[in-house]
Amino acid sequence: MPEELAARAEAVEAEFMYQYESSAPPSIAAALGITTTRIGGGVALSMRHDPTGYWSKALGFGFDEPVTAGLVDRVLDFYRSEGSVGAVLQIAPSVLPADWADIARRHGLRPGGRIVKLACPIEDFTPAGETALRIEHVGPGDARAWASVVLKGFGMPEEGLAEMLVAVAGHPNWRPFAAWEGDRIVGGASLFLHGEVASLNSGAVLADHRNRGAQSALIAARVREAASAGCRWLVAETGEPAEGVGNPSLNNMLRAGLQRLYTRQSWIWSPGGIS
């Protein structure tokens, strides 16, 4: 696996997560307790009042500056200073140091979920499947409904988080797309442009409209947009399924030509951990 591609894959994810949270309107940032910072080439994102346990995470490390005990100390000091109730560290396996087990043990980091990182040159993408649903770019008038559907698709509450998603919808590097049945949005997804790299993220479909080709069609629409914008690489990530359990999002991306780069272990930190 080329190290440069791993660096790009981690950087684009770190940047879109940073923009999601740092772009929240001031009133929403205050209500959710959002603070963001850049450390050692990566980002650390804290949401003290996160109703989901998803948004406090640190990622993008190991390429501008090596992952060391000192770097991890700086990241966790940030979370302690913010009064965070917990956070997740996500570091590509190729940049974990030889003493990572000792670092994790010292801070009481425990393994969490595993994330599959995928990528491919944009010319290797192959559209897969068809849908009768209408797939279009989301304009300002539909941004709130789009955010609502994305959050519902992931099983997340809307309060505060919907406004956070809407805030990036009009940014020039963000291209939200939706699947409509008639005049109702039933699925949504985002494209984030970062230089030559396009990130396919935030794809979700309402439970009663799954298995109708919406996910594959949303992927295809975003890839066409990325190609028009001059991007050369597609990058995405999704949860690694448990043994014997399928992941439709992973299957859809593999069918479309994206390839597994690596699987990244998440590491969970809580204030009561060893330090």
Side-chain angles (χ1 to χ4, degrees):
M1 178 197 66
E3 194 72 0
E4 181 182 356
L5 184 52
R8 291 186 176 200
E10 292 294 315
V12 70
E13 183 187 1
E15 191 59 29
F16 82 68
M17 287 298 304
Y18 182 88
Q19 289 199 20
Y20 260 143
E21 298 189 42
S22 63
S23 298
S27 61
I28 298 300
L32 293 175
I34 296 174
T35 308
T36 61
T37 190
R38 298 183 185 274
I39 301 174
V43 302
L45 316 169
S46 175
M47 186 182 287
R48 287 192 308 278
H49 309 306
D50 179 4
T52 69
Y54 172 79
W55 297 96
S56 288
K57 58 176 61 182
L59 65 163
F61 304 106
F63 299 97
D64 289 357
E65 177 181 325
V67 176
T68 63
L71 175 63
V72 175
D73 287 340
R74 287 152 57 197
V75 170
L76 297 183
D77 283 347
F78 163 75
Y79 286 110
R80 293 187 187 97
S81 71
E82 290 301 314
S84 300
V85 298
V88 174
L89 278 64
Q90 297 179 323
I91 303 172
S94 62
V95 297
L96 287 174
D99 62 343
W100 177 253
D102 293 335
I103 294 171
R105 189 179 306 111
R106 179 161 70 87
H107 289 293
L109 302 177
R110 63 187 191 279
R114 291 166 62 83
I115 302 296
V116 180
K117 294 287 287 191
L118 305 104
C120 74
I122 201 162
E123 62 268 19
D124 288 355
F125 174 78
T126 304
E130 298 180 353
T131 183
L133 300 172
R134 175 167 53 94
I135 309 295
E136 290 183 3
H137 185 270
V138 174
D142 292 311
R144 183 59 176 77
W146 163 82
S148 172
V149 167
V150 169
L151 291 167
K152 287 177 181 176
F154 281 111
M156 293 187 179
E158 294 182 50
E159 186 175 359
L161 297 178
E163 289 78 10
M164 186 180 77
L165 267 62
V166 169
V168 302
H171 190 284
N173 288 351
W174 286 89
R175 313 289 169 85
F177 283 82
W180 273 266
E181 183 170 58
D183 59 0
R184 179 192 175 203
I185 294 178
V186 297
S190 281
L191 173 71
F192 178 67
L193 307 176
H194 190 57
E196 294 184 329
V197 182
S199 166
L200 308 173
N201 65 84
S202 308
V205 178
L206 296 180
D208 58 353
H209 281 75
R210 291 172 186 165
N211 301 312
R212 294 179 58 184
Q215 279 279 20
S216 293
L218 285 166
I219 292 172
R222 286 178 289 167
V223 174
R224 288 193 296 270
E225 183 78 7
S228 296
C231 293
R232 297 181 55 230
W233 290 95
L234 302 173
V235 172
E237 51 279 323
T238 189
E240 182 181 58
E243 187 75 25
V245 178
N247 179 336
S249 292
L250 176 59
N251 295 338
N252 287 335
M253 288 188 281
L254 291 172
R255 278 197 299 268
L258 281 87
Q259 301 292 319
R260 291 174 180 259
L261 285 181
Y262 50 85
T263 299
R264 184 184 67 196
Q265 178 72 62
S266 297
W267 296 90
I268 302 171
W269 171 83
S270 59
I274 301 170
S275 182

